[in-house]
Amino acid sequence: MNEDEQLRERFRGLGFAGEPPMTSTAVDDLARGRRHLRRRRAAALGGGALGVAAAGVGVALLL
């Protein structure tokens, strides 16, 4: 028995005879990356706005 046949036998034992299906494509990966970048930018912008607001409230309380 060669290595390919051994792998096929092991895959059959796991419940599928062929190779696992491709669930992710390059287009999906790019879309996921863009969403991640958009979330990071929104979080950075929100954090900056929150910092400016906190600084403004701090200055207002001191005066």
Side-chain angles (χ1 to χ4, degrees):
M1 211 185 259
N2 64 18
E3 291 180 17
D4 288 337
E5 291 173 1
Q6 289 175 347
L7 284 173
R8 277 192 206 98
E9 286 299 319
R10 288 184 181 172
F11 281 144
R12 278 191 203 104
L14 291 175
F16 54 92
E19 293 194 18
M22 289 285 294
T23 58
S24 179
T25 62
V27 174
D28 294 336
D29 292 340
L30 287 173
R32 191 169 33 253
R34 287 185 185 116
R35 282 193 307 268
H36 179 72
L37 183 60
R38 199 174 314 124
R39 275 194 304 266
R40 288 189 64 187
R41 286 180 178 164
L45 182 62
L50 185 63
V52 168
V57 168
V59 168
L61 290 175
L62 287 175
L63 297 177

